Amino acid sequence: MTYTMSVDWIACDGRGLCAELLPERIAVDEWGFPLVGSEPMQADLLGHAQKAVAACPKLALRLTESAAG
Amino acid sequence: MTSISAPDLQVEGRILPDGIGAGKQRELVTHQQIHGPLDLAVSSADVIAAVAAAGLTGRGGAGFPMARKLTAVAAGSEPVVVANGAEGEPASSKDRVLLSYAPHLVLDGLQLACRATGATRAYVYVHEGPLVALLESLVAARRTAGVDAVTATVVAAPARFVSGQESAVVSALNGGRALPLAVPPSVYVKGVGRAPTLVQNVETLAHLALIGRHGASWFRSVGTEREPGSMLCTLGGAVAAPGVVEVPIGTRLGDVLARAGGSPGPLSAVLVGGYHGTWLPAGQAMDLSLSVEGLGPVGASPGAGVVVALSAQACGLSETARAVTYLAEQSARQCGPCLNGLPAMARTLTQLAGRERSRGLPERVLELAALVEGRGACHHPDGTVRLVRSALSVFAAEVATHQAGVCTATDDRPVLPVHPWRAGGAS
């Protein structure tokens, strides 16, 4: 089982908490919106990723299971 | 050079037959005389099988197989069907022309789509303006004549670029704003009133009405093996007679443009697929066929059938800058990268087209393109990026001359229309 991060772009306000909590995987663009990439989440970062998802004040960050890999 | 206007019609074909004057097919009796009766006493499975055998795909731009949509929606309970005529693209007139000239074909197709899915609720969603009253009167006439199993409700859409996007249609019909929603869930699963919803372009429904009458083999007798049938195209720019034509899918682009009387002078490029589409060098474009298969190898697609010829005397960079400025204004302003990135891209392109001597303008455009791509709830940023990248590639020589302070264009009259079409055409 692998996990991929995605953003609900309508909900996202660019508050930037996710990038602070998961700097290993989330950068922000020049307007403050997250760049999450499409690569599967490394197993050792999964816990941090879940915390970032839970911390998003707009509930805009998602961690989705994908069966492949 | 002229921009596209609906009255300039050159129609000939299946859903817009030649020699039939405007308005005639609005009479139900005339429509029935021309096309013959439509049998609505058919099973869902029969309609879906006929659509699958015909290979009919959506004509709103995405080209999704209709049979798969029908099957998905039919599997749900109490589905809803929507005829989507809210074409937001200023360079496209084909849905408005179809609804003005052959509206009963669309309404027939809507009935068959209700049969196929088991829907008991149906909507006709068109831009605000005269088409609303026209369609309301036609739906009432059909009700009086007793030809419909489901009486459709006509709903007006605001005249903006994204209001015809599938999830925006559903949002509007649910009483919200006509703006794209976050997906999933897909509208096939949860749409109008949370019911599974089929949103189908009006042209697709018109083709369905003819498949219902003449069958799949007849439908496949034009077009290509993989992409059967005909499609409506809006031809504009440097052509003798801009307007809407119906052509078999797979027609050579040079022959498509010939249907608009050809071009008065040499062309530099052709825009295929509209403002979310692709510029192609004119020399390359003419021999390509208007199909997904024919245009795919050069990174283009027929989209909703917009083809604009650009004169060699016009400036492709200025045209692109104007179109992108329009697209930036038309952002639903819901998604950060689109809200910020499209105006930034438009400004940079405008600087480039204006021969500003700032360094790195093309590089900055490409950087912004990479920043907005794939980062929105709908296709608007991605479609805009496609247009922009193709412009920098096709007009690469002009990019270089503009950076040196020179524009070689001799005709600065605007080609691409950037105002939402006035809701006329039904008068």
Side-chain angles (χ1 to χ4, degrees):
Chain A
M1 201 68 77
T2 61
Y3 291 84
T4 316
M5 298 210 96
S6 62
V7 178
D8 175 345
W9 289 110
I10 294 178
C12 178
D13 257 0
R15 307 252 180 127
L17 254 71
C18 56
E20 284 184 30
L21 289 167
L22 194 63
E24 299 90 341
R25 282 298 301 268
I26 303 181
V28 291
D29 65 20
E30 54 195 85
W31 310 293
F33 291 90
L35 291 152
V36 300
S38 55
E39 311 77 33
M41 184 61 55
Q42 303 96 296
D44 58 329
L45 287 177
L46 206 51
H48 292 289
Q50 282 159 344
K51 280 178 194 152
V53 168
C56 174
K58 304 297 288 183
L59 305 179
L61 190 63
R62 287 170 184 171
L63 194 60
T64 318
E65 259 181 41
S66 48
Chain B
M1 207 91 44
T2 166
S3 60
I4 296 139
S5 60
D8 305 314
L9 276 185
Q10 292 199 358
V11 293
E12 177 189 339
R14 295 173 155 188
I15 60 177
L16 288 175
D18 196 17
I20 293 162
K24 290 248 184 76
Q25 290 189 71
R26 292 184 196 169
E27 297 295 333
L28 185 57
V29 172
T30 315
H31 163 74
Q32 287 168 335
Q33 281 167 354
I34 293 166
H35 293 288
L38 174 66
D39 185 9
L40 281 179
V42 285
S43 72
S44 161
D46 285 349
V47 179
I48 296 176
V51 171
L56 175 59
T57 54
R59 299 290 196 256
F64 194 81
M66 188 188 196
R68 278 166 59 191
K69 266 183 154 179
L70 290 172
T71 305
V73 174
S77 68
E78 298 184 36
V80 174
V81 174
V82 183
N84 183 10
E87 70 190 328
E89 162 110 29
S92 184
S93 312
K94 60 115 181 159
D95 289 343
R96 176 173 39 134
V97 164
L98 172 63
L99 287 165
S100 301
Y101 285 74
H104 285 293
L105 271 184
V106 176
L107 298 173
D108 283 352
L110 186 62
Q111 293 299 315
L112 276 175
C114 287
R115 286 302 298 178
T117 57
T120 54
R121 279 182 296 161
Y123 295 90
V124 180
Y125 179 79
V126 293
H127 282 306
E128 54 203 4
L131 280 177
V132 174
L134 170 69
L135 284 157
E136 278 172 346
S137 72
L138 298 179
V139 167
R142 292 169 68 97
R143 184 176 193 158
T144 306
V147 295
D148 286 351
V150 178
T151 300
T153 305
V154 181
V155 176
R160 63 182 295 169
F161 194 88
V162 296
S163 56
Q165 194 268 347
E166 189 170 73
S167 67
V169 173
V170 167
S171 175
L173 293 176
N174 279 334
R177 296 190 300 160
L179 299 178
L181 303 168
V183 283
S186 153
V187 303
Y188 313 160
V189 179
K190 195 165 92 178
V192 176
R194 307 177 78 81
T197 301
L198 178 80
V199 179
Q200 204 76 66
N201 172 261
V202 289
E203 184 194 336
T204 319
L205 292 171
H207 288 293
L208 174 62
L210 292 180
I211 290 169
R213 287 176 166 89
H214 310 301
S217 306
W218 170 86
F219 183 77
R220 300 189 74 98
S221 65
V222 304
T224 71
E225 178 58 31
R226 285 197 189 173
E227 296 165 73
S230 58
M231 69 182 285
L232 298 180
C233 293
T234 312
L235 309 180
V239 291
V244 175
V245 299
E246 183 176 353
V247 296
I249 298 182
T251 302
R252 196 179 146 269
L253 270 175
D255 295 335
V256 173
L257 286 171
R259 290 286 305 281
S263 296
L267 302 178
S268 64
V270 177
L271 176 65
V272 180
Y275 293 0
H276 283 171
T278 311
W279 285 109
L280 297 170
Q284 177 191 37
M286 292 306 163
D287 286 322
L288 296 171
S289 31
L290 184 68
S291 64
V292 172
E293 197 175 12
L295 294 170
V298 295
S301 145
V306 169
V307 181
V308 183
L310 188 73
S311 157
Q313 296 174 348
C315 175
L317 290 177
S318 297
E319 286 305 316
T320 306
R322 253 170 1 87
V324 174
T325 301
Y326 166 79
L327 292 170
E329 287 165 0
Q330 293 294 313
S331 164
R333 295 176 165 76
Q334 300 187 115
C335 304
C338 181
L339 160 69
N340 292 287
L342 263 49
M345 207 151 56
R347 280 192 300 273
T348 315
L349 277 167
T350 304
Q351 288 175 295
L352 184 59
R355 289 167 283 155
E356 237 178 66
R357 306 290 278 267
S358 314
R359 291 171 62 87
L361 292 175
E363 293 78 9
R364 174 65 176 153
V365 171
L366 291 173
E367 179 186 37
L368 288 163
L371 269 185
V372 302
E373 188 176 36
R375 298 177 74 218
C378 79
H379 180 67
H380 191 57
D382 295 4
T384 305
V385 162
R386 174 147 93 156
L387 175 73
V388 166
R389 286 200 180 124
S390 74
L392 290 189
S393 156
V394 169
F395 305 121
E398 283 96 310
V399 169
T401 57
H402 279 70
Q403 286 189 290
V406 178
C407 174
T408 56
T410 53
D411 187 343
D412 61 2
R413 284 174 294 174
V415 181
L416 298 176
V418 292
H419 297 294
W421 52 269
R422 302 287 170 254
S427 54

